[in-house]
Amino acid sequence: MLTMHLTLLALILIFVCSLLAGVLGSLVGLGGGVLIVPILTLAFGLPIRYAIGVSIVAVIATSSGAAAAYVRDHITNMRIGMFLEIGTTLGAVSGAFLAGLLAPQILFVIFGFVLVISVAPLVVKLGEELPAGVKNDRWARALQLSGTYPDRYLGREVSYEVTRTPWGLAMMYLAGMISGLLGIGSGTFKVLAMDTVMRLPMKVSTTTSNFMIGVTAAASAGIYFFRGDIPPLVAAPVALGILCGALLGTRVLSRISNKGVRMVFIPIITAVAIEMILRGLGLGHF
Amino acid sequence: MKDQALPNKAISALRGQTPPIKGTHPMQQGDGIPVPPTHPEHAGLDMNAVIGWILQLGVIISSVVITVGVILALAQDQLTSKNALIFPHSLVDVWSGVLALQPPSIIVLGLLLLLITPVVRVAASIVAFGLEHDRRYVILTTLVLLILILSFLLGKGGG
């Protein structure tokens, strides 16, 4: 039987780290998982099984904590989120089926390199505040995906159109499959699909990803809970910390530029890529 | 009257591109189109705001419950003395623990409330799209909810 005794100091530190993860996660549309799992396993010695369970709580806390603000601010595009969620959830189901057939190590390395490569278009577009010259494709027109959002940084209502919708949906299927196969959230792939493929404004991409990761995580949350993978004494400071952080993050998002969000996103996506490759090569502890 | 058939489509195409106008139901903008009966209390509501409220309420309730659990655990000196990896994780155990005011069970209850907020959100979106008479998205969102339930069942079967 595993034992773990937490000190009060450890609990406070977990709370503070979670707060930071909540701010970052709510800004760039990732669950806190990629940040929380390494902290819990490396710094606090929590067995990986429980760390992953707690990270599911972290993802949902980030998503729901930030969503309340983003939905009311009309930044999240609910139609795009719902439509793409079909790809993600179906992908997650097929990923769960394939899980036994494919070696996760190889997949970690492959997807890690995919992420490294996908940093390039982000860097190229670093100077771009809003995507220009994007025209609705047939799918976007039929599904009324285009929209507007109020940008407090630019001080105006920004309208945008949506392109390459089928490719975005395909990439969402892949993102769902990755989370089903590897048991990780796939906020990075979701943001990339919306930003790089469908050419949405960065803020719309991250907030819509934020909405979606919560729904995807909720699908597997029950499994983790009933399996006994979510220790409440560890999850409590994580949940409270992330919720506070997400609340702060939503305040920040409306005030910074799309460029600024992208600037935060690039180092995080690079860190996630390295984490995945190391894990695939068996060099990571997480 | 031939022109009257068009506005419905034109309006719904526009809806995505224009900022939502508070207090006007999308169906009321086309003159000549009979306004379908809606519940008066739903008629001018901004559905995004309602969903935002539901989420916020879920988040607030769950964080209050978790905080109460943490404070009780601190007061009873259970937060650090107990093995953090032994805890109730079946609904029956959690519920009896909550009734006995055991801090870990109260925290788990708060966590469970948090974990179901995204599902509630999807369910609320079905209602929201329904009130907007957006049948396509009602079907789409219902599909998402069904896949969610399916993946939950599949996952549980696989252990």
Side-chain angles (χ1 to χ4, degrees), chain A residues 171-219:
Chain A
M171 190 153 169
M172 284 296 167
Y173 178 80
L174 191 72
M177 203 155 84
I178 294 168
S179 47
L181 274 171
L182 305 181
I184 56 164
S186 46
T188 38
F189 287 94
K190 291 184 173 117
V191 174
L192 284 171
M194 286 183 274
D195 179 75
T196 311
V197 178
M198 299 170 74
R199 305 280 283 127
L200 295 172
M202 189 65 179
K203 284 185 194 177
V204 178
S205 304
T206 61
T207 54
T208 305
S209 163
N210 224 307
F211 156 61
M212 296 178 64
I213 54 172
V215 178
T216 313

Side-chain angles (χ1 to χ4, degrees), chain B residues 105-134:
Chain B
S105 298
I106 295 174
I107 296 175
V108 172
L109 176 70
L111 292 173
L112 284 176
L113 289 172
L114 183 65
L115 295 181
I116 60 164
T117 48
V119 185
V120 175
R121 181 176 181 179
V122 173
S125 307
I126 297 177
V127 179
F129 286 126
L131 291 174
E132 285 181 8
H133 304 279
D134 196 334

Side-chain angles (χ1 to χ4, degrees), chain A residues 24 28 30-39 42 108-109 111-119 122 184-185 188-189 192 262-280 284 286:
Chain A
L24 287 177
V28 299
L30 314 181
V34 284
L35 307 159
I36 288 290
V37 172
I39 293 170
L42 296 179
F108 270 116
V109 176
F111 291 130
F113 278 110
V114 171
L115 278 186
V116 170
I117 295 164
S118 55
V119 172
L122 286 171
I184 56 164
T188 38
F189 287 94
L192 284 171
R262 194 167 277 137
M263 224 94 105
V264 180
F265 185 65
I266 290 173
I268 294 181
I269 187 179
T270 312
V272 173
I274 293 170
E275 188 180 321
M276 285 178 85
I277 293 170
L278 286 179
R279 197 158 145 182
F286 37 79

Side-chain angles (χ1 to χ4, degrees), chain B residues 60-72:
Chain B
I60 291 171
I61 293 174
S62 66
S63 45
V64 167
V65 174
I66 294 171
T67 310
V68 167
V70 170
I71 291 171
L72 277 178

Side-chain angles (χ1 to χ4, degrees), chain A residues 2-3 14 20 52-53 68 120 144 161-162 166 184 209 215 230 233:
Chain A
L2 286 162
T3 57
I14 292 175
L20 279 172
I52 291 175
Q144 304 160 36
E161 303 206 357
V162 185
I184 56 164
S209 163
V215 178
I230 306 179
L233 295 183

